Structures are given as structure tokens and as C-alpha cells.
Amino acid sequence: MRKFLSFYYLFIFCLILSFSSYAQQVVRIDNEEGLLNGIINTFEKDSLGYFWIGSDKGLNRYSDLEIKNYDLENIISVQGTSIIEILNFDGVLYMISPNGYLIKYDYEYEHFDKILQEEGKRFLSIARLDNERLIIGLDYGFLIYNIKTKKTSKLLQPETFINREVLVFKNKIFVASGKGCYIYSFDKDLDALSLQEILLEQKDVISIAIDSKERLWIGTETEGLFIKNGPELKPIYIEELQQKTYAIRKIEFDKQNNALVAVDRLGLLVIDEYLKINQIFSHDLDEINTISQNSIYEIYVDNYNTYWLGLREGGINIIYEKDNVFKQLSHVLNDPNSINDNTIRAIFEDENGDLWFGTENGLSKFSDQKFTNYNKKLFLTIIYGFPLVMTGH
């Protein structure tokens, strides 16, 4: 009897381990789903819930139902198709191209504006500096652009090299560069940067991030992962990096304050606030519920703690908790009880709890689990509140 109970408890323990190892579901979105080929550089979510994806081959918009590609070369006559970073600035999307373009997206008219062009300069990163200014990291130096006055600063700190990531925190500017992690203060009256400190000088720093404890995490090309807590800078021990050096490509934090660290050839490491590795997501040829490759170049965590991973060889992996269940509402051809169109431009909940959807093919109301569709000639762009604001198509 005792042997039987021992076997029983061992079986239950193994079963629990098995279920816990599959606590997440991995969804793969690859080139067959409509994405352009290329390295995924950046993710950003807009105020309408669309997910924007920038790659070295172009710009895409993802809506859970479809992927729309934008040819910016033809739309606004930019040279090259690469989008290296996208920034949501109070609901307005700004994006940069490495060829020296700053581009703004207009929601209402689905229109792109080329608002800045710097010949001979290579844009690598962008961040919000304050309520009216952007800072752009270049291969050499920085530019500050004022979105209200539409004026650009002179080239700042031109001696800096490969400013691939810029992070603004408490009036300090942290920069991941090819020659270390640079920390600046900002004088808003002079549009000037003053160097305060250099960490890991002459080391190739790829990614930086600040956690909920205000600790600075630094990922490098060949030196591993570091954390700065107050004045102390120390390496984070990762056993797999002791014999070989793999690049720390990206650092992000989830809603439980875990660090998500993308390591070349290893995959995604989940590190808790006590610097312990709790989980590793890596590719397994024999298991479909794993990430599709171990080279991750971008990480985005949404409000549901879902991980969006941008991959080096194109495509996206989405890791979400299995109990994060949602219902998908979509247009079905010739089905009157489906939404008018899958391209949603506006959503509004009225005082009765009914949901109104402004689509590119008219207005839809979702009430009591049923859709009522209205004039398909109307092109709904904005729903601010009641009454509904509509424009003729």
C-alpha cells in the first residue's frame, strides 16, 4: 500500500510538472500569414488596438484577423522600406527609417506624413523626451525634434557611436551604444545634453531597460548581462554564458516585474526580481508549442501580460497564458450576424453596454451576442462618444 501511494504521489507530481511546463501557449505568425520577410525591429500598439510591426523590409499592421502591409516607398516617397522603431506619443504614431526619415501616421485619414528628412544621417532609435520633444539616436550623435514648433536641434554629442537604444527616465537619458552605456542630463532651455556617466566604457551595449526597483539592466554583445543598483554595477550570472558568449539582444519586463531577456541562440530567459532564472523559452524541433527560433530581436508585453517576440528571420511568436481566453469577433461572408468588416476604425460602448464598431464598411452594433449592421456606405473614422460621429464614404 505504501509503495502504491508513493507511486501515486510521484505520478501526480510529474503530472503537475507536465501541466506547469505548458502553462503558456505559443502562437506563431510567420511569412505565410502575410508578413513581409525580414528582421522584426519594433512593435507598437495604437489607441485603436492595432498592432504595428516594423521590419527591415517594411511596415505592417496586425489586427488578430489580418495583416496589412504598407509600401512607404510608394506612399510617401521614402528611400528604402525599413522601419527601425515606432513610438506611440499620446496616441500619435511616429516611426523612423534608418535612411534619416521621421514619419507620422494620421489615424483619421490613414495617412502618412514625412515630417523630417536628414540627408546623410542614419536614424537608429527614438524616444519621448518630454511633452513636446522627441530624441532621435543616430549612428553618430543625437537630434531633438520639437513636434509643436517642428524645429530640429543641431547635432548633439557627435562623438557617440551607434546609439541603438535611447531610454528617458527621471530627466536622465540612458543610451545603449557601441562604446558603452552613456547617461546624460537634459537642458530643455538649450536643447542640450550633458554627459554624466559612462558604464561599461568601450563595450558594445545592445539593450538597456529599467525595472520597477529603478535598477538599470544592460545587455552587451559579448560581455553578458549586467545590472546597476545605485552605484553598484555587477554581472548577472547565466550558466549558459560561461563557456560561450552570446549577445543579449533585448531586455523587457512583464506585468509581474520579471525581466524578459532575449539571448542569441538560447531564446528567451525569464528572470525574477531576485535575479533567478525561472523559465527559458527556446526552440524545440520536436515540439510545436515552442518558439520557432532562438534569435529574438524585439519584445513587447501587452496589458494581458502576453509576450510578443519579433524574430530575426521574420515572423512573430506570441506567448500567452492559457487561461487568458478571449472571443474573436470577425466578419463572415453572407452571415448577417457578423460584423460589417474586419478593419475596425473605432469602438464605443454606450450607456446600455452595447458595443458600436466603426468599420471601413459601415457601422455595426453588438448587443445580446448579436450584430446589427447599418449603412454600408458610411465610412466610420471616429467614435468619441454619443452621438456617433460619421463621415460619408
Side-chain angles (χ1 to χ4, degrees), residues 172-353:
K172 286 187 177 181
I173 300 167
F174 300 81
V175 181
S177 82
K179 293 185 178 180
C181 177
Y182 283 64
I183 304 175
Y184 298 94
S185 62
F186 172 59
D187 187 326
K188 63 180 181 180
D189 295 324
L190 300 176
D191 267 358
L193 304 179
S194 299
L195 180 63
Q196 302 293 306
E197 189 177 5
I198 305 175
L199 305 174
L200 303 174
E201 191 169 5
Q202 299 303 316
K203 306 299 183 185
D204 192 0
V205 175
I206 300 178
S207 185
I208 53 175
I210 295 177
D211 65 18
S212 61
K213 295 182 177 181
E214 300 187 3
R215 299 177 297 183
L216 175 65
W217 294 60
I218 305 173
T220 69
E221 177 72 38
T222 59
E223 305 296 324
L225 180 65
F226 293 82
I227 188 168
K228 185 178 188 295
N229 188 9
E232 181 185 16
L233 177 67
K234 66 178 183 179
I236 296 177
Y237 178 80
I238 299 175
E239 183 177 358
E240 289 81 359
L241 298 183
Q242 301 310 303
Q243 296 181 350
K244 291 186 178 181
T245 56
Y246 298 132
I248 309 295
R249 287 290 169 198
K250 192 68 180 178
I251 306 169
E252 191 54 76
F253 298 99
D254 69 12
K255 301 306 179 183
Q256 277 77 51
N257 299 320
N258 296 309
L260 309 179
V261 181
V263 184
D264 264 0
R265 304 183 188 181
L266 297 182
L268 183 70
L269 278 58
V270 182
I271 304 176
D272 68 18
E273 58 183 336
Y274 304 105
L275 310 185
K276 177 185 175 183
I277 299 176
N278 283 338
Q279 197 167 9
I280 300 178
F281 294 96
S282 58
H283 177 60
D284 185 343
L285 284 172
D286 299 322
E287 176 55 56
I288 192 170
N289 193 43
T290 63
I291 60 176
S292 53
Q293 58 181 269
N294 289 336
S295 293
I296 300 165
Y297 274 47
E298 176 67 342
I299 305 170
Y300 180 91
V301 180
D302 67 20
N303 291 332
Y304 299 99
N305 207 40
T306 300
Y307 305 165
W308 296 71
L309 310 179
L311 307 178
R312 180 178 184 272
E313 296 177 7
I316 299 169
N317 285 177
I318 306 171
I319 302 175
Y320 64 92
E321 302 292 337
K322 279 196 172 181
D323 58 358
N324 180 16
V325 180
F326 63 91
K327 182 176 181 180
Q328 188 178 79
L329 305 175
S330 60
H331 173 70
V332 179
L333 187 64
N334 298 323
D335 182 357
N337 189 34
S338 70
I339 197 167
N340 263 334
D341 190 88
N342 284 334
T343 302
I344 312 298
R345 300 300 303 275
I347 302 174
F348 173 73
E349 183 177 7
D350 65 23
E351 59 185 7
N352 298 319

Side-chain angles (χ1 to χ4, degrees), residues 27 98 142:
V27 175
F142 305 90

